[in-house]
């Protein structure tokens, strides 16, 4: 999936991996909108936790519950059209893929797209140039939950995140059934470590 590392950092100032401030973290969910999105939204609403969703727009159909995502105060970002590894593409194709994804989200939801996450966590100079030209901020993460590898041991997702928390960290999760199932436990474990929750910074385009 995105990375075999638990903690992902980037020294590039154009890449957002954490947000300085008080003791809080940011939950992000990749690869939707999926069938478990309503369950994830139910938990987030019950726990009063904001989140950011990075969607493959091949999965974004008007009947998916995108409206509820926005009504509940969450954010929707681009994860390209169909999760292609951008570093294998020339600049023009990277630009077009990201642009098509942004356009689809904005056409369906009516909401401006501010953030973009490259599939597999892979990017190069062309990716950053395309993102800048399209006026979207690349977002990575500081803590990877490893949920894509832990389907048979979902409680380990909780332990992995809990043991790697840091102030302002962006946490990588996915719209997977077992992740949705353990989400209440994960939120509880984060709060027990003294952390609150925020969304990504609101940046006007």
């Amino acid at each position: 999936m995105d990375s075999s590392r638990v903690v992902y950092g980037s020294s590039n100032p154009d890449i957002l991996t954490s947000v300085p401030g008080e003791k809080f973290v940011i939950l992000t969910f990749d690869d939707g909108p999926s069938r478990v999105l309503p369950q994830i939204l139910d938990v987030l609403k019950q726990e009063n936790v904001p989140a950011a969703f990075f969607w493959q727009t091949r999965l974004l159909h008007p009947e998916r519950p995108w409206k509820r995502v926005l009504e509940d105060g969450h954010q929707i970002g681009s994860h390209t059209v169909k999760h292609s590894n951008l570093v294998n593409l020339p600049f023009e194709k990277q630009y077009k893929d990201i642009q098509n994804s942004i356009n689809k989200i904005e056409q369906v939801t009516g909401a401006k797209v501010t953030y973009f996450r490259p599939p597999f966590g892979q990017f190069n100079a062309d990716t950053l140039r395309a993102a800048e030209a399209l006026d979207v901020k690349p977002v990575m993460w500081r803590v990877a939950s490893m949920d894509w590898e832990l389907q048979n041991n979902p409680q380990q997702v909780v332990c992995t995140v809990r043991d790697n928390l840091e102030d302002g960290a962006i946490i990588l999760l996915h719209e997977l059934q077992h992740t949705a199932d353990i989400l209440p436990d994960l939120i509880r474990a984060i709060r027990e470590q003294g952390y609150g929750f925020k969304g990504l910074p609101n940046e006007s385009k």
Side-chain angles (χ1 to χ4, degrees):
M1 199 63 197
D2 290 288
S3 172
S4 60
R5 298 179 61 195
V6 172
V7 179
Y8 187 101
S10 173
S11 59
N12 190 313
D14 294 327
I15 304 293
L16 191 65
T17 62
S18 61
V19 178
E22 68 244 43
K23 197 171 181 181
F24 70 91
V25 296
I26 299 170
L27 298 186
T28 65
F29 293 85
D30 283 9
D31 292 345
S34 74
R35 291 190 299 272
V36 301
L37 177 58
Q39 181 181 347
I40 291 172
L41 292 174
D42 286 346
V43 174
L44 295 175
K45 186 169 185 177
Q46 181 176 354
E47 298 292 340
N48 194 28
V49 172
F53 293 84
F54 290 93
W55 284 351
Q56 301 177 47
T57 52
R58 69 181 179 86
L59 302 174
L60 177 56
H61 308 294
E63 62 270 18
R64 296 287 168 91
W66 59 265
K67 189 173 184 180
R68 182 182 170 193
V69 173
L70 298 176
E71 289 176 343
D72 285 357
H74 306 302
Q75 297 155 302
I76 300 172
S78 165
H79 203 39
T80 72
V81 175
K82 56 181 180 180
H83 210 268
S84 299
N85 191 333
L86 295 175
V87 300
N88 296 327
L89 303 175
F91 169 79
E92 292 78 10
K93 289 188 176 180
Q94 291 198 43
Y95 181 96
K96 196 66 175 176
D97 193 331
I98 301 168
Q99 182 185 51
N100 287 342
S101 175
I102 292 169
N103 288 345
K104 177 69 175 292
I105 294 171
E106 292 183 347
Q107 287 167 5
V108 171
T109 69
K112 290 292 185 182
V113 174
T114 303
Y115 292 107
F116 155 73
R117 175 170 283 164
F120 307 102
Q122 299 294 311
F123 60 90
N124 57 21
D126 284 340
T127 315
L128 300 184
R129 185 156 63 99
E132 182 178 10
L134 291 164
D135 196 22
V136 288
K137 180 79 171 180
V139 177
M140 299 295 286
W141 56 86
R142 288 294 297 165
V143 180
S145 68
M146 309 302 290
D147 56 353
W148 63 93
E149 292 185 353
L150 295 169
Q151 181 174 357
N152 295 323
N153 187 17
Q155 282 300 320
Q156 185 60 41
V157 175
V158 178
C159 296
T160 299
V161 173
R162 181 198 62 205
D163 294 345
N164 290 280
L165 290 171
E166 57 182 73
D167 291 355
I170 295 172
I171 298 173
L172 173 65
L173 299 159
H174 294 81
E175 290 189 35
L176 301 169
Q177 182 62 63
H178 60 281
T179 301
D181 291 342
I182 58 88
L183 187 55
D185 293 340
L186 177 62
I187 292 171
R188 187 178 310 113
I190 291 171
R191 283 180 167 148
E192 287 174 353
Q193 297 300 310
Y195 290 86
F197 296 89
K198 283 191 175 181
L200 291 169
N202 289 320
E203 297 187 5
S204 60
K205 284 178 66 95

